[in-house]
Amino acid sequence: PLAALLGGAVAAACGGGPRGVAPRRDPLLNPDPVVETAPDTFVVRFETTQGPFQVQFIRAWAPRGADRVYYLVRSGFYDSTRFFRVLPRFVAQWGAHGNPAVNKIWESRTFPDDPVRQANVRGTVSFATAGPNTRTTQLFVNLAGNGRLDRLGFAPVGRVIGGLSQVVDSLHSGYGEGPPRGKGPDQDKLAAQGNLYLQRDFPRLDFVLSTQVVSEARLPR
């Protein structure tokens, strides 16, 4: 009957969907409480406004960090994220989500530090932190040898294996450091306003167009 068809359409439009089918869980707004173990190694292709670069993540370097990256990449977290802090001969940082609601969820989902097993040499990738055990989603590529970060507890979780000189070194760096030491993007405003803030005030920032796990390997046990 027409009434039944209309009722089903209304239910679907309101998110109810067909009877007996659970609504699809958004992995960013409703993260899975079970931490999935990442492969021993996996390669992620970051397609950016400057072109693609590839990062090999190595779980033996930082197991907790690798597990977090694997979940975020497979959930599409890094798509459309801006490289909001690019400081030549230091770091290129990204990983604050463009949606403030997603940022609010993830800013409280900290996870414990990994021991530093590898040096922060040029091309390695580490999580940004605000102190011990405060890692969440933000990553940075070391644009130079940053050995002092080893002593501060920044544990590399992977390394750029393609596109470092051609792409990562070319990311827009004209805005400089953020407040209070510079006039670049303010991370508090970024968390609260998302990409709308960056598009309005820092339109030249490069960003990630898409991410994809292009290969993965699990070692024999």
Side-chain angles (χ1 to χ4, degrees):
L2 180 58
L5 292 174
L6 289 175
V10 171
C14 293
R19 290 184 179 181
V21 178
R24 185 176 181 183
R25 181 181 58 83
D26 187 321
L28 298 182
L29 290 172
N30 185 22
D32 193 332
V34 178
V35 177
E36 180 181 3
T37 300
D40 294 298
T41 65
F42 59 100
V43 175
V44 177
R45 177 185 174 95
F46 293 87
E47 190 71 45
T48 80
T49 44
Q50 288 290 342
F53 70 94
Q54 294 80 40
V55 178
Q56 180 189 42
F57 292 96
I58 303 170
R59 195 171 187 274
W61 287 10
R64 298 186 185 101
D67 292 348
R68 174 59 61 92
V69 171
Y70 191 65
Y71 181 91
L72 292 173
V73 168
R74 283 161 45 91
S75 301
F77 182 95
Y78 293 109
D79 297 358
S80 298
T81 57
R82 267 55 179 173
F83 294 94
F84 65 88
R85 184 175 181 240
V86 182
L87 307 177
R89 297 177 297 281
F90 185 38
V91 299
Q93 185 172 336
W94 79 108
H97 200 272
N99 181 344
V102 174
N103 280 327
K104 187 174 182 178
I105 294 293
W106 284 91
E107 68 184 5
S108 63
R109 294 185 67 82
T110 59
F111 64 101
D113 292 335
D114 286 299
V116 178
R117 296 185 173 96
Q118 297 291 324
N120 283 272
V121 298
R122 172 172 160 78
T124 53
V125 177
S126 300
F127 272 91
T129 76
N133 301 312
T134 59
R135 297 183 296 175
T136 55
T137 63
Q138 292 188 26
L139 299 170
F140 64 85
V141 177
N142 286 291
L143 300 181
N146 292 320
R148 64 189 182 278
L149 299 183
D150 304 346
R151 299 185 292 274
L152 295 175
F154 291 88
V157 68
R159 58 190 174 194
V160 178
I161 59 172
L164 179 60
S165 298
Q166 305 91 329
V167 177
V168 183
D169 284 342
S170 300
L171 298 171
H172 183 75
S173 60
Y175 295 119
E177 183 65 278
R181 289 183 289 175
K183 297 181 179 180
D186 183 311
Q187 292 200 44
D188 290 336
K189 290 183 179 179
L190 171 53
Q193 302 176 38
N195 280 348
L196 291 178
Y197 160 65
L198 297 180
Q199 291 165 352
R200 182 186 68 232
D201 294 353
F202 303 95
R204 296 184 64 189
L205 290 176
D206 286 300
F207 58 93
V208 177
L209 297 168
S210 63
T211 54
Q212 181 182 5
V213 176
V214 295
S215 69
E216 52 185 72
R218 298 183 186 272
L219 302 178
R221 294 292 189 266

